[in-house]
Amino acid sequence: MIASQDSKDKYSIIIPYRNREEHLQVMLPRLKEVFKDKNYEIIVSEQNDNNPFNIACVQDIAYNYCDGNIIILHQVDYYPTDDVSYNISNQPVLPAKKGIFVDKDLSTSRPLDDIPGGYRNWSEEIDSNFYGGVVIMRKEHWEKINGINPMYEGWGNEDEDLRERFKWAGYTPVRNTTGTFYCLYHEDNGNITSLDKTKQEAFIKGRQILENAFNFRNVGYKNLSADVEIFDCGIDKVKWIKSTNYIINENIS
């Protein structure tokens, strides 16, 4: 659900992506349906190498290709149901109130023991400290915090860093009182003990960066460069970019 926003508003929906074609085939039609009466674009941002997936970098790179003034970071496995609102006023918004882990048919909830431990209560309410999944902000919010810290390797910790960046910038994100997302099934969805050694090491390194996140609060999308290829996917209102060779210059203010 999207109520009326300013007529000049444009939504740029960033989907970080790699090897999730099954999810993307479900998500793109759904987002196009939800936003059909709005001015919007979808940016599929794909990491084009075999290194551990760096969600922070692909989101930062995608922002450089956004035309909108409302930025939505939208993971490809968070499928919005009809009670989700993408409205935003003056503060960043966390639109997910509940998360239901579903099987591939989208209608059957997964057994409790098949859901990662930290997410088993999401069908009642998502942890208020969780800042992953889907986050909405205005362009000025993104610019003030310099986007996502690209120093994190792999997947994880960057969402907690984002939470702290909002706080340090003086923002008070709003968690919507309604908003149910289906968390789409994928086999590698689990806790750190289920990851391979390389991914575990990247996560642990990320925890160390997070412990010192305040010292890196100004390192963000402006500090990141990459090799980028624009891919013509032939889908209306969808931009597809592929990036690799991420280089961080921490000295840029």
Side-chain angles (χ1 to χ4, degrees):
M1 177 182 67
I2 304 177
S4 177
Q5 298 264 181
D6 190 294
S7 60
K8 297 180 180 179
D9 282 340
K10 181 175 182 178
Y11 297 85
S12 290
I13 307 163
I14 295 173
I15 299 179
Y17 175 81
R18 187 169 67 177
N19 298 333
R20 292 286 181 82
E21 183 177 358
E22 182 179 8
H23 292 163
L24 198 63
Q25 289 177 345
V26 173
M27 186 62 68
L28 285 181
R30 177 56 180 163
L31 289 176
K32 290 173 77 68
E33 171 65 22
V34 170
F35 286 88
K36 64 181 180 181
D37 296 325
K38 297 299 174 183
N39 188 11
Y40 77 95
E41 63 179 357
I42 297 172
I43 299 95
V44 178
S45 185
E46 179 178 3
Q47 182 172 332
N48 195 26
D49 58 37
N50 294 319
N51 296 327
F53 183 54
N54 194 327
I55 188 173
C57 286
V58 297
Q59 291 179 121
D60 277 336
I61 292 298
Y63 176 76
N64 294 305
Y65 297 87
C66 291
D67 295 329
N69 65 313
I70 298 176
I71 309 300
I72 303 178
L73 305 179
H74 208 302
Q75 291 184 20
V76 72
D77 55 352
Y78 280 72
Y79 183 98
T81 65
D82 290 339
D83 71 343
V84 172
S85 171
Y86 291 92
N87 286 346
I88 182 171
S89 55
N90 297 321
Q91 296 291 338
V93 172
L94 307 170
K97 184 67 173 179
K98 297 180 180 181
I100 299 176
F101 285 75
V102 294
D103 278 325
K104 295 179 181 180
D105 61 5
L106 299 185
S107 62
T108 304
S109 297
R110 288 165 61 185
L112 197 62
D113 60 3
D114 194 32
I115 299 173
Y119 306 95
R120 291 178 180 173
N121 293 324
W122 277 24
S123 60
E124 299 176 5
E125 185 174 14
I126 289 176
D127 184 346
S128 61
N129 286 319
F130 180 72
Y131 274 56
V134 183
V135 182
I136 309 169
M137 67 188 90
R138 292 191 175 275
K139 187 173 183 178
E140 54 264 33
H141 301 152
W142 175 280
E143 290 290 341
K144 187 171 182 179
I145 66 173
N146 196 16
I148 313 295
N149 184 345
M151 297 172 65
Y152 295 99
E153 299 175 2
W155 186 301
N157 300 303
E158 80 292 328
D159 52 343
E160 295 174 85
D161 190 297
L162 176 61
R163 179 189 65 214
E164 298 306 303
R165 286 184 173 221
F166 282 144
K167 179 179 69 177
W168 295 327
Y171 296 128
T172 305
V174 176
R175 172 78 68 179
N176 284 349
T177 57
T178 62
T180 303
F181 284 82
Y182 291 151
C183 301
L184 305 183
Y185 179 84
H186 53 95
E187 293 180 356
D188 61 344
N189 189 357
N191 54 38
I192 185 173
T193 59
S194 68
L195 303 178
D196 62 35
K197 183 179 179 181
T198 299
K199 292 179 180 179
Q200 288 190 35
E201 291 175 348
F203 185 85
I204 293 170
K205 179 181 178 181
R207 297 312 288 181
Q208 296 170 345
I209 296 173
L210 184 62
E211 290 176 0
N212 296 283
F214 185 78
N215 296 329
F216 307 118
R217 65 192 182 279
N218 295 321
V219 180
Y221 92 95
K222 295 177 183 177
N223 304 81
L224 181 66
S225 64
D227 295 332
V228 180
E229 175 187 358
I230 308 299
F231 177 68
D232 183 7
C233 63
I235 304 174
D236 184 44
K237 296 189 177 182
V238 176
K239 299 177 182 177
W240 197 308
I241 63 174
K242 297 184 179 185
S243 60
T244 187
N245 190 27
Y246 306 116
I247 299 174
I248 302 169
N249 182 350
E250 296 180 31
N251 297 320
I252 299 175
S253 59

